[in-house]
Amino acid sequence: MADQEDDVRALLNDSGEPDLKHAIARAREVVDRLDNVVLNIAVTGVTGAGKSTFVNAIRDVSNTEVGAAKIGETETTMEIKDYPYPTMPNVKIWDLPGLGTKNFKAKTYIKDVKFQNYDFFIIVSEKRFKEYDIMLAKEIQKNKKNFYFIRSMIDQDVANAERRWVTENATLQKIKNDCQENLMELGSPPVFLILSFYLEKFDFSKLQNALERDLPDRKRDALVRSLPVYSRQCLEKKYNTFQKAVWALAVVSGGITAAPVPGLSVACDVAMVATFFTTCYHSFGLDDKSLTKVGNRVDKPILEMVKESAIVRAIAGKTFLSSKLAARLGGVIESVCSLIPVAGNIAAAGVSFATTRSVLEEGLKELYRVALKVIEMANLN
């Protein structure tokens, strides 16, 4: 019984709340925010700037996949279109029509694209930012929303300059200087140099840092969880975000156990834990599609290596994962409830918290370890 009391004290200590009722209420709020937070990102710019390619890249979707934003040499985005993240449908990228096109005139653009619906704007250009870009940024400033300038297709500039014996660093600095000079009337805001096909190159990590800095906590976590894994730093941010969810999920598990409904706890624990691991699995880029894409790019058998992990195999075979979790979580909890009919439910909450937290932490660490190995093999360190 002393061990069970220790488990309950640990639950309350981790929650920062005075009693079980308040701890469970706070945890449910945290879990609800993690699962249901909405983030809307608008991508805009003049025709042909590479908006749709960027939209696909940050969703980790190739240009030819079903559900990808259409690309082409002429204007292909003729209407406002949302593209949810494949594994986080509440996070959406909105591909907006080019500013100044036939159906979206400059004077009414802000109203026509339903400006108020987006958390922030990304303005894309393949060369110097034009009058329309600056005008749009001014309107965004007036409405007190954030915007970020992206200069796309950087590889072409670097390749052309190298033919003239100009170094990559010199070319990148010249591009930034030119863009910021062009944007001087806006206070020379930072310009992020992006290569959509290789997000690990140039300034994508700086862009991510800027977005995280400016977003509120709950939306920041949604952004981090949704982005493709393009570096070790990106993976570590994802890992830290999921670690925050472990406490809340474990407390909610304890709360369910305290409810005197036989069998409810195990079923709910299994569903929550399986969903959590599956979300981590996709966010870390360990699904077959993501691994095949990375393996083809570096010409290494990454998919086969990852399948050596028992938890990755279990997640890929969904039924097997549920059965393993049920076996791990069920026995201890049910036995405590049967021994002490009333007080046992409170004690079981502590046991459930400790057991579920242990399972979550172990699984998360293993998925992180496998994802680190993928990054090493893909030379994304």
Side-chain angles (χ1 to χ4, degrees), residues 158-169:
V158 170
N160 291 336
E162 285 179 342
R163 295 190 189 99
R164 303 191 303 271
W165 305 101
V166 180
T167 66
E168 179 178 295
N169 287 338

Side-chain angles (χ1 to χ4, degrees), residues 105-372:
K105 301 298 184 182
K107 289 184 179 180
T108 59
Y109 187 80
I110 290 291
K111 179 181 177 181
D112 293 341
V113 301
K114 301 178 181 178
F115 173 92
Q116 70 281 358
N117 291 346
Y118 314 112
D119 291 286
F120 60 86
F121 286 74
I122 291 176
I123 305 172
V124 183
S125 176
E126 88 288 8
K127 292 180 182 176
R128 288 172 66 86
F129 291 94
K130 298 179 174 64
E131 179 184 352
Y132 283 151
D133 300 318
I134 296 170
M135 183 177 65
L136 175 59
K138 287 180 177 179
E139 289 300 315
I140 296 171
Q141 280 183 328
K142 287 180 185 176
N143 288 274
K144 296 182 170 36
K145 291 203 175 185
N146 292 324
F147 60 89
Y148 306 86
F149 284 109
I150 286 181
R151 171 64 158 76
S152 62
M153 307 180 192
I154 298 301
D155 56 328
Q156 297 176 13
D157 299 273
V158 170
N160 291 336
E162 285 179 342
R163 295 190 189 99
R164 303 191 303 271
W165 305 101
V166 180
T167 66
E168 179 178 295
N169 287 338
T171 301
L172 299 179
Q173 191 58 55
K174 183 178 185 303
I175 293 171
K176 283 192 175 183
N177 291 343
D178 287 348
C179 288
Q180 288 177 329
E181 182 179 347
N182 183 221
L183 298 170
M184 195 173 296
E185 60 184 292
L186 293 171
S188 297
V191 175
F192 301 95
L193 311 185
I194 303 295
L195 180 56
S196 293
F197 295 111
Y198 295 94
L199 294 179
E200 70 272 16
K201 294 187 176 183
F202 309 121
D203 290 341
F204 189 78
S205 63
K206 294 179 182 178
L207 173 63
Q208 181 179 346
N209 291 339
L211 297 176
E212 290 176 36
R213 179 195 65 218
D214 296 339
L215 285 169
D217 287 350
R218 65 186 187 281
K219 299 210 173 200
R220 180 189 310 134
D221 289 346
L223 175 76
V224 170
R225 292 167 70 186
S226 62
L227 290 176
V229 179
Y230 62 90
S231 69
R232 179 169 185 152
Q233 180 189 43
C234 174
L235 176 63
E236 288 175 349
K237 287 181 177 181
K238 287 175 177 284
Y239 176 69
N240 292 334
T241 298
F242 282 113
Q243 274 190 314
K244 287 191 255 180
V246 166
W247 163 82
L249 284 166
V251 170
V252 170
S253 165
I256 291 171
T257 304
V261 182
L264 175 63
S265 171
V266 175
C268 291
D269 281 346
V270 168
M272 284 192 298
V273 174
T275 298
F276 176 78
F277 285 154
T278 302
T279 303
C280 295
Y281 166 83
H282 286 289
S283 182
F284 288 175
L286 298 178
D287 56 283
D288 287 4
K289 187 194 82 171
S290 298
L291 293 173
T292 299
K293 188 183 300 182
V294 172
N296 291 339
R297 187 170 128 185
V298 298
D299 195 26
K300 292 180 181 178
I302 293 177
L303 181 59
E304 288 76 4
M305 180 279 296
V306 168
K307 287 298 178 66
E308 294 174 7
S309 166
I311 189 169
V312 171
R313 291 199 310 272
I315 294 170
K318 300 170 186 176
T319 304
F320 180 53
L321 173 65
S322 297
S323 63
K324 288 187 70 173
L325 290 173
R328 174 74 188 274
L329 295 171
V332 176
I333 299 168
E334 299 277 328
S335 64
V336 172
C337 288
S338 65
L339 288 172
I340 312 172
V342 179
N345 289 320
I346 302 301
V351 174
S352 178
F353 169 71
T355 304
T356 306
R357 181 176 61 178
S358 175
V359 171
L360 289 167
E361 288 177 345
E362 289 172 16
L364 178 58
K365 286 177 182 177
E366 172 63 8
L367 290 170
Y368 175 66
R369 183 195 67 77
V370 176
L372 273 178

Side-chain angles (χ1 to χ4, degrees), residues 57-111:
I58 60 175
R59 293 174 60 239
D60 199 23
V61 172
S62 70
N63 290 333
T64 57
E65 281 185 48
V66 175
K70 294 181 181 179
I71 62 170
E73 295 182 0
T74 59
E75 177 65 22
T76 53
T77 305
M78 300 305 293
E79 59 182 11
I80 302 168
K81 173 68 176 173
D82 66 305
Y83 293 93
Y85 273 84
T87 57
M88 292 190 65
N90 290 339
V91 178
K92 296 180 180 180
I93 310 295
W94 294 80
D95 190 6
L96 305 186
L99 183 60
T101 55
K102 179 180 179 181
N103 295 325
F104 289 85
K105 301 298 184 182
K107 289 184 179 180
T108 59
Y109 187 80
I110 290 291
K111 179 181 177 181

